[in-house]
Amino acid sequence: MSNKVILINSLCAGGAERVVSQICDKKGDTIIQIWDDKFYNIDEAKVLALLDAKGVVFFDLFIAAYKLYLYIKRNNIKSINSHLFWSNYLNVFISIFTGHESICTHCVSFESKFSRINITRFFHSIFMKVLVQRASIHTYKSLDMMKEYERNFKFKNGKVIYNPYNFERCFSLSDDNINNFYFRRDRIYLLCVGRFHKTKNQQACLEILAHLPVNYEIIFLGDGDTILNVKSYAKNLGVDKRCFFLGNVRNPFYFYRNCKYYISMSTSEGFPNSLIEAISFGCYPFVYDCKTGPKEILSSLYTKEAIYLNSCVEQYELGTLITRDEYYDIAKIIEKVNINEIIVNNECAKSLISNLNSYTIKKCYDF
């Protein structure tokens, strides 16, 4: 057994969870979940859970801490790489008693995640300053994220590790229409991928759709707490007949390949997997300029300048960055891109893909 472990809240359908499933794909790897939830199947790695289901978070964490402490002692664990807030808190707290190396991976902008000044932000800020600051190593999904955390919490020993992508596998699965969804030739499809949560802001995508001609339709992949509200909002706007809610899908690549455009108005990201995948398939993206991730990706990891600017968008060779939520103007820009047949620059996309292949990124996790 390896004396290194990956710790995560769960393996539910999410970006950080997907990354963990990709970096732990060989025999001998061990993933520990706080709460048991396996959306992602991992064939080779050993997957354990400290708790069967989620209850009251703070009580859960005390029980999980005790179980994790016993596991570390019993198996002589020397290093734990944790992902997401609760796992990071647990990792560093237990390291005080066990002395193991605590590696905290930060997956989302703190300022976007906790944008409102309230008690939740206050407590998370305390945990970051008192606990997480003690971590042995900090890793971040993007350069902007690292700058944010180091500015706000004075973290040191940081490095950027981008998300890994197995592009060959993605392309090989893109012909498999397991959802039996058939695209009409007389329609222009927008694709929106992500869990339904207030930070993902799917309602804004509906507002944009309402300003587009009736031959534009939108496909939503994902599930979550706000999906019923979004469906109701679509009906109130009168666009529900142009929306498809397909839930969580294990193989989204068929949709990237067949949709003309990708759209995201998310207000909080880390390094969005779906945006990278859309670009790799030539599914032209329109993405809101939230705190971290989108601009870094569309500018080819800050190596390319915008080729077009106006008060609403910045256009790059890999897609369009939305800088203001002016829905009518955004809709007109989408129409303009469609009329002028603007597409993802293939050479620029290949360059980005070469920097993010799973083999290269996985080696960065060998601390």
Side-chain angles (χ1 to χ4, degrees):
M1 177 189 291
S2 170
N3 58 10
K4 297 181 180 180
V5 167
I6 295 284
L7 176 67
I8 192 166
N9 297 356
S10 73
L11 287 172
C12 66
E17 294 83 356
R18 184 171 176 182
V19 169
V20 166
S21 73
Q22 291 192 28
I23 63 176
C24 293
D25 61 355
K26 61 181 183 294
K27 196 170 184 178
D29 289 339
T30 301
I31 302 173
I32 296 180
Q33 307 173 88
I34 298 178
W35 298 282
D36 191 16
D37 187 348
K38 301 187 190 71
F39 176 79
Y40 294 106
N41 294 320
I42 304 171
D43 296 330
E44 296 292 330
K46 182 179 181 182
V47 181
L48 308 172
L50 299 173
L51 301 171
D52 292 333
K54 198 168 188 177
V56 179
V57 171
F58 285 105
F59 290 127
D60 283 356
L61 291 177
F62 278 112
I63 298 169
Y66 176 68
K67 291 185 175 182
L68 182 60
Y69 173 82
L70 294 179
Y71 181 87
I72 292 169
K73 287 296 187 181
R74 190 181 304 122
N75 295 284
N76 193 31
I77 301 301
K78 300 298 183 184
S79 174
I80 295 181
N81 178 201
S82 53
H83 297 243
L84 300 172
F85 291 106
W86 296 123
S87 295
N88 286 342
Y89 303 155
L90 195 62
N91 183 12
V92 180
F93 176 71
I94 294 300
S95 73
I96 297 171
F97 304 98
T98 63
H100 73 266
E101 181 184 47
S102 55
I103 303 163
C104 289
T105 296
H106 305 284
C107 303
V108 68
S109 162
F110 188 92
E111 293 175 359
S112 295
K113 179 74 173 177
F114 304 107
S115 58
R116 293 168 55 191
I117 306 298
N118 56 21
I119 193 68
T120 301
R121 177 173 176 141
F122 173 76
F123 277 115
H124 279 280
S125 295
I126 294 297
F127 290 143
M128 298 298 281
K129 292 173 181 177
V130 174
L131 270 180
V132 182
Q133 194 179 72
R134 302 169 60 109
S136 309
I137 301 172
H138 297 274
T139 76
Y140 305 90
K141 301 296 185 179
S142 69
L143 179 61
D144 286 340
M145 189 186 300
M146 183 172 73
K147 291 178 179 177
E148 177 194 308
Y149 278 77
E150 290 183 344
R151 180 179 66 249
N152 289 338
F153 304 114
K154 313 303 180 188
F155 289 170
K156 302 185 185 303
N157 301 325
K159 61 186 295 189
V160 174
I161 303 179
Y162 292 118
N163 290 346
Y165 299 90
N166 186 340
F167 292 105
E168 289 184 4
R169 180 177 180 275
C170 296
F171 297 144
S172 69
L173 293 172
S174 63
D175 285 327
D176 190 3
N177 184 14
I178 59 175
N179 292 85
N180 295 318
F181 184 93
Y182 295 96
F183 291 85
R184 293 177 53 175
R185 292 182 180 273
D186 60 341
R187 296 292 187 267
I188 298 170
Y189 291 93
L190 303 166
L191 179 65
C192 182
V193 181
R195 64 194 175 98
F196 281 80
H197 183 271
K198 61 182 180 180
T199 61
K200 296 301 181 181
N201 200 22
Q202 283 94 347
Q203 287 94 332
C205 297
L206 296 175
E207 292 277 6
I208 294 166
L209 181 67
H211 291 291
L212 287 166
V214 294
N215 62 323
Y216 283 81
E217 298 182 343
I218 189 166
I219 297 171
F220 291 101
L221 303 184
D223 205 345
D225 298 339
T226 64
I227 189 168
L228 294 179
N229 291 337
V230 174
K231 287 181 177 180
S232 176
Y233 200 74
K235 191 169 184 179
N236 291 338
L237 283 175
V239 297
D240 52 307
K241 303 299 183 184
R242 297 159 60 195
C243 300
F244 301 91
F245 296 89
L246 303 186
N248 288 332
V249 298
R250 295 186 184 277
N251 178 12
F253 311 113
Y254 175 78
F255 297 94
Y256 290 121
R257 181 174 180 177
N258 288 281
C259 287
K260 191 168 187 178
Y261 300 116
Y262 167 90
I263 188 166
S264 171
M265 293 296 290
S266 176
T267 60
S268 179
E269 291 290 349
F271 195 76
N273 295 323
S274 56
L275 175 55
I276 296 290
E277 290 162 349
I279 291 169
S280 71
F281 279 94
C283 182
Y284 188 93
F286 297 90
V287 191
Y288 186 68
D289 186 19
C290 60
K291 283 284 183 181
T292 71
K295 187 168 186 175
E296 195 162 338
I297 292 168
L298 293 184
S299 63
S300 298
L301 311 182
Y302 287 129
T303 63
K304 302 285 186 181
E305 298 291 332
I307 56 179
Y308 172 76
L309 299 168
N310 72 8
S311 61
C312 191
V313 301
E314 297 176 8
Q315 194 173 81
Y316 295 86
E317 291 179 303
L318 293 176
T320 296
L321 189 72
I322 298 167
T323 54
R324 293 176 58 189
D325 53 354
E326 302 289 343
Y327 305 129
Y328 175 83
D329 293 338
I330 295 166
K332 293 306 173 189
I333 288 164
I334 292 174
E335 288 188 78
K336 183 177 179 181
V337 167
N338 184 55
I339 291 169
N340 293 331
E341 298 183 342
I342 298 171
I343 60 175
V344 171
N345 182 290
N346 190 47
E347 290 304 312
C348 198
K350 285 181 179 178
S351 176
L352 181 70
I353 287 170
S354 69
N355 288 316
L356 299 175
N357 72 80
S358 58
Y359 178 76
T360 300
I361 300 298
K362 282 180 186 179
K363 291 192 294 185
C364 298
Y365 281 94
D366 293 332
F367 296 102

